[in-house]
Amino acid sequence: RTTPPPEPLDRQRLRHCYYLHGLFEDSFLELLEELSAELPGSTTSTNMAATRRFFESEKVGAGLIARLPDSLGFSRILPDMR
């Protein structure tokens, strides 16, 4: 009996990644867009070219957790976002 070859590392990592198409309705995404437009941007990251915006919102955190499927097992989402 032979042992199967080890699973590639990329596949091991992807086992815990989920594609959740259509999870957020347009009105929620528009709220996030409005919030980010009001925040100052930071380009101090050395490993990404994107302008990052940081904010903390209990309302947004609650909105995110309410939209995630129970099957993912999340019980809390930090209200800090970037």
Side-chain angles (χ1 to χ4, degrees):
R1 187 169 159 197
T2 62
T3 305
E7 191 174 34
L9 187 56
D10 286 347
R11 187 169 292 168
Q12 289 175 26
R13 290 180 182 145
L14 288 175
R15 190 179 315 137
H16 302 288
C17 293
Y18 301 92
Y19 178 70
L20 303 169
H21 180 73
L23 188 63
F24 303 108
E25 68 278 2
D26 289 343
S27 60
F28 188 73
L29 295 174
E30 288 166 4
L31 169 66
L32 294 178
E33 190 174 341
E34 288 172 18
L35 288 171
S36 69
E38 299 170 4
L39 299 170
S42 169
T43 56
T44 59
S45 175
T46 58
N47 65 351
M48 73 171 54
T51 300
R52 300 180 304 166
R53 291 174 169 78
F54 300 88
F55 70 97
E56 181 177 336
S57 169
E58 291 290 339
K59 179 181 176 183
V60 170
L64 289 171
I65 196 73
R67 288 164 173 83
L68 291 177
D70 292 338
S71 61
L72 292 178
F74 288 98
S75 59
R76 183 168 186 273
I77 296 234
L78 295 177
D80 300 338
M81 296 190 64
R82 67 175 180 173

